[in-house]
mmCIF file of all heavy atoms in Angstrom:
data_model
loop_
_atom_site.group_PDB
_atom_site.id
_atom_site.type_symbol
_atom_site.label_atom_id
_atom_site.label_comp_id
_atom_site.label_asym_id
_atom_site.label_seq_id
_atom_site.Cartn_x
_atom_site.Cartn_y
_atom_site.Cartn_z
ATOM 1 N N THR H 185 33.042 -16.692 -114.416
ATOM 2 C CA THR H 185 34.489 -16.848 -114.277
ATOM 3 C C THR H 185 34.989 -18.041 -115.098
ATOM 4 O O THR H 185 34.214 -18.720 -115.778
ATOM 5 C CB THR H 185 34.862 -17.050 -112.799
ATOM 6 O OG1 THR H 185 34.317 -18.309 -112.343
ATOM 7 C CG2 THR H 185 34.297 -15.926 -111.943
ATOM 8 N N ALA H 186 36.295 -18.305 -115.002
ATOM 9 C CA ALA H 186 36.892 -19.423 -115.723
ATOM 10 C C ALA H 186 36.366 -20.770 -115.229
ATOM 11 O O ALA H 186 36.494 -21.772 -115.939
ATOM 12 C CB ALA H 186 38.416 -19.375 -115.576
ATOM 13 N N SER H 187 35.791 -20.807 -114.050
ATOM 14 C CA SER H 187 35.177 -22.049 -113.579
ATOM 15 C C SER H 187 33.850 -22.329 -114.286
ATOM 16 O O SER H 187 33.346 -23.448 -114.246
ATOM 17 C CB SER H 187 34.949 -21.989 -112.064
ATOM 18 O OG SER H 187 34.035 -20.949 -111.730
ATOM 19 N N ASP H 188 33.298 -21.314 -114.959
ATOM 20 C CA ASP H 188 32.032 -21.467 -115.694
ATOM 21 C C ASP H 188 32.225 -21.553 -117.198
ATOM 22 O O ASP H 188 31.426 -22.167 -117.902
ATOM 23 C CB ASP H 188 31.103 -20.275 -115.392
ATOM 24 C CG ASP H 188 30.876 -20.065 -113.918
ATOM 25 O OD1 ASP H 188 30.437 -21.005 -113.256
ATOM 26 O OD2 ASP H 188 31.160 -18.947 -113.429
ATOM 27 N N VAL H 189 33.272 -20.923 -117.717
ATOM 28 C CA VAL H 189 33.475 -20.809 -119.158
ATOM 29 C C VAL H 189 34.889 -21.232 -119.522
ATOM 30 O O VAL H 189 35.867 -20.766 -118.916
ATOM 31 C CB VAL H 189 33.219 -19.369 -119.644
ATOM 32 C CG1 VAL H 189 33.487 -19.257 -121.147
ATOM 33 C CG2 VAL H 189 31.800 -18.930 -119.317
ATOM 34 N N PHE H 190 35.006 -22.114 -120.515
ATOM 35 C CA PHE H 190 36.305 -22.524 -121.074
ATOM 36 C C PHE H 190 36.613 -21.605 -122.248
ATOM 37 O O PHE H 190 35.813 -21.484 -123.172
ATOM 38 C CB PHE H 190 36.229 -23.982 -121.515
ATOM 39 C CG PHE H 190 37.466 -24.474 -122.218
ATOM 40 C CD1 PHE H 190 38.689 -24.474 -121.580
ATOM 41 C CD2 PHE H 190 37.392 -24.945 -123.515
ATOM 42 C CE1 PHE H 190 39.838 -24.935 -122.217
ATOM 43 C CE2 PHE H 190 38.522 -25.414 -124.174
ATOM 44 C CZ PHE H 190 39.747 -25.402 -123.521
ATOM 45 N N HIS H 191 37.755 -20.942 -122.208
ATOM 46 C CA HIS H 191 38.096 -19.933 -123.209
ATOM 47 C C HIS H 191 39.389 -20.294 -123.918
ATOM 48 O O HIS H 191 40.418 -20.506 -123.266
ATOM 49 C CB HIS H 191 38.233 -18.563 -122.522
ATOM 50 C CG HIS H 191 38.643 -17.461 -123.455
ATOM 51 N ND1 HIS H 191 39.304 -16.321 -123.029
ATOM 52 C CD2 HIS H 191 38.490 -17.317 -124.793
ATOM 53 C CE1 HIS H 191 39.530 -15.534 -124.055
ATOM 54 N NE2 HIS H 191 39.052 -16.113 -125.150
ATOM 55 N N VAL H 192 39.340 -20.354 -125.246
ATOM 56 C CA VAL H 192 40.533 -20.529 -126.065
ATOM 57 C C VAL H 192 40.767 -19.210 -126.791
ATOM 58 O O VAL H 192 39.988 -18.821 -127.661
ATOM 59 C CB VAL H 192 40.378 -21.672 -127.088
ATOM 60 C CG1 VAL H 192 41.645 -21.809 -127.928
ATOM 61 C CG2 VAL H 192 40.057 -22.980 -126.379
ATOM 62 N N ARG H 193 41.824 -18.502 -126.413
ATOM 63 C CA ARG H 193 42.118 -17.204 -127.004
ATOM 64 C C ARG H 193 42.952 -17.366 -128.261
ATOM 65 O O ARG H 193 43.911 -18.133 -128.302
ATOM 66 C CB ARG H 193 42.876 -16.346 -125.998
ATOM 67 C CG ARG H 193 42.972 -14.873 -126.383
ATOM 68 C CD ARG H 193 44.088 -14.182 -125.621
ATOM 69 N NE ARG H 193 45.391 -14.605 -126.134
ATOM 70 C CZ ARG H 193 46.556 -14.103 -125.720
ATOM 71 N NH1 ARG H 193 46.575 -13.207 -124.767
ATOM 72 N NH2 ARG H 193 47.693 -14.523 -126.254
ATOM 73 N N GLY H 194 42.599 -16.621 -129.288
ATOM 74 C CA GLY H 194 43.374 -16.616 -130.514
ATOM 75 C C GLY H 194 44.488 -15.594 -130.460
ATOM 76 O O GLY H 194 44.904 -15.152 -129.394
ATOM 77 N N ALA H 195 44.962 -15.195 -131.640
ATOM 78 C CA ALA H 195 46.068 -14.235 -131.730
ATOM 79 C C ALA H 195 45.643 -12.858 -131.231
ATOM 80 O O ALA H 195 44.481 -12.470 -131.355
ATOM 81 C CB ALA H 195 46.559 -14.152 -133.165
ATOM 82 N N THR H 196 46.599 -12.127 -130.663
ATOM 83 C CA THR H 196 46.361 -10.758 -130.223
ATOM 84 C C THR H 196 47.378 -9.836 -130.875
ATOM 85 O O THR H 196 48.468 -10.257 -131.252
ATOM 86 C CB THR H 196 46.474 -10.635 -128.689
ATOM 87 O OG1 THR H 196 47.800 -11.024 -128.289
ATOM 88 C CG2 THR H 196 45.447 -11.511 -127.991
ATOM 89 N N VAL H 197 47.000 -8.581 -130.992
ATOM 90 C CA VAL H 197 47.910 -7.590 -131.558
ATOM 91 C C VAL H 197 49.017 -7.269 -130.561
ATOM 92 O O VAL H 197 50.181 -7.114 -130.915
ATOM 93 C CB VAL H 197 47.136 -6.319 -131.946
ATOM 94 C CG1 VAL H 197 48.107 -5.254 -132.492
ATOM 95 C CG2 VAL H 197 46.082 -6.637 -132.998
ATOM 96 N N LYS H 198 48.638 -7.166 -129.293
ATOM 97 C CA LYS H 198 49.597 -6.902 -128.233
ATOM 98 C C LYS H 198 49.602 -8.079 -127.263
ATOM 99 O O LYS H 198 48.570 -8.709 -127.021
ATOM 100 C CB LYS H 198 49.237 -5.628 -127.479
ATOM 101 C CG LYS H 198 49.264 -4.369 -128.338
ATOM 102 C CD LYS H 198 48.893 -3.147 -127.509
ATOM 103 C CE LYS H 198 48.919 -1.890 -128.357
ATOM 104 N NZ LYS H 198 48.547 -0.686 -127.563
ATOM 105 N N GLY H 199 50.731 -8.380 -126.680
ATOM 106 C CA GLY H 199 50.815 -9.455 -125.723
ATOM 107 C C GLY H 199 49.999 -9.167 -124.474
ATOM 108 O O GLY H 199 49.846 -8.021 -124.065
ATOM 109 N N GLY H 200 49.462 -10.222 -123.869
ATOM 110 C CA GLY H 200 48.706 -10.063 -122.639
ATOM 111 C C GLY H 200 47.265 -9.672 -122.813
ATOM 112 O O GLY H 200 46.593 -9.325 -121.841
ATOM 113 N N GLY H 201 46.768 -9.696 -124.042
ATOM 114 C CA GLY H 201 45.371 -9.338 -124.284
ATOM 115 C C GLY H 201 44.423 -10.336 -123.655
ATOM 116 O O GLY H 201 44.696 -11.536 -123.630
ATOM 117 N N VAL H 202 43.307 -9.852 -123.143
ATOM 118 C CA VAL H 202 42.352 -10.742 -122.484
ATOM 119 C C VAL H 202 41.546 -11.529 -123.499
ATOM 120 O O VAL H 202 41.023 -12.608 -123.203
ATOM 121 C CB VAL H 202 41.410 -9.925 -121.559
ATOM 122 C CG1 VAL H 202 40.486 -9.029 -122.366
ATOM 123 C CG2 VAL H 202 40.597 -10.847 -120.657
ATOM 124 N N ALA H 203 41.450 -11.041 -124.720
ATOM 125 C CA ALA H 203 40.685 -11.715 -125.765
ATOM 126 C C ALA H 203 41.441 -11.637 -127.085
ATOM 127 O O ALA H 203 42.234 -10.715 -127.318
ATOM 128 C CB ALA H 203 39.299 -11.099 -125.916
ATOM 129 N N GLY H 204 41.206 -12.612 -127.955
ATOM 130 C CA GLY H 204 41.822 -12.625 -129.263
ATOM 131 C C GLY H 204 41.169 -11.643 -130.219
ATOM 132 O O GLY H 204 40.074 -11.137 -129.971
ATOM 133 N N VAL H 205 41.836 -11.379 -131.318
ATOM 134 C CA VAL H 205 41.339 -10.462 -132.339
ATOM 135 C C VAL H 205 40.891 -11.267 -133.550
ATOM 136 O O VAL H 205 41.588 -12.187 -133.990
ATOM 137 C CB VAL H 205 42.431 -9.453 -132.751
ATOM 138 C CG1 VAL H 205 41.922 -8.520 -133.839
ATOM 139 C CG2 VAL H 205 42.883 -8.651 -131.544
ATOM 140 N N SER H 206 39.742 -10.919 -134.100
ATOM 141 C CA SER H 206 39.229 -11.622 -135.264
ATOM 142 C C SER H 206 40.098 -11.357 -136.492
ATOM 143 O O SER H 206 40.278 -10.194 -136.874
ATOM 144 C CB SER H 206 37.791 -11.191 -135.558
ATOM 145 O OG SER H 206 37.372 -11.661 -136.826
ATOM 146 N N PRO H 207 40.659 -12.406 -137.128
ATOM 147 C CA PRO H 207 41.428 -12.176 -138.355
ATOM 148 C C PRO H 207 40.579 -11.560 -139.457
ATOM 149 O O PRO H 207 41.080 -10.774 -140.270
ATOM 150 C CB PRO H 207 41.909 -13.589 -138.741
ATOM 151 C CG PRO H 207 41.829 -14.380 -137.477
ATOM 152 C CD PRO H 207 40.666 -13.817 -136.719
ATOM 153 N N ILE H 208 39.308 -11.912 -139.486
ATOM 154 C CA ILE H 208 38.425 -11.368 -140.519
ATOM 155 C C ILE H 208 38.224 -9.870 -140.316
ATOM 156 O O ILE H 208 38.224 -9.094 -141.276
ATOM 157 C CB ILE H 208 37.083 -12.119 -140.511
ATOM 158 C CG1 ILE H 208 37.297 -13.540 -141.049
ATOM 159 C CG2 ILE H 208 36.027 -11.389 -141.331
ATOM 160 C CD1 ILE H 208 36.072 -14.408 -141.024
#
Side-chain angles (χ1 to χ4, degrees):
T185 66
S187 63
D188 306 304
V189 178
F190 175 61
H191 177 205
V192 180
R193 193 199 73 175
T196 60
V197 178
K198 298 180 180 179
V202 68
V205 179
S206 169
I208 289 177

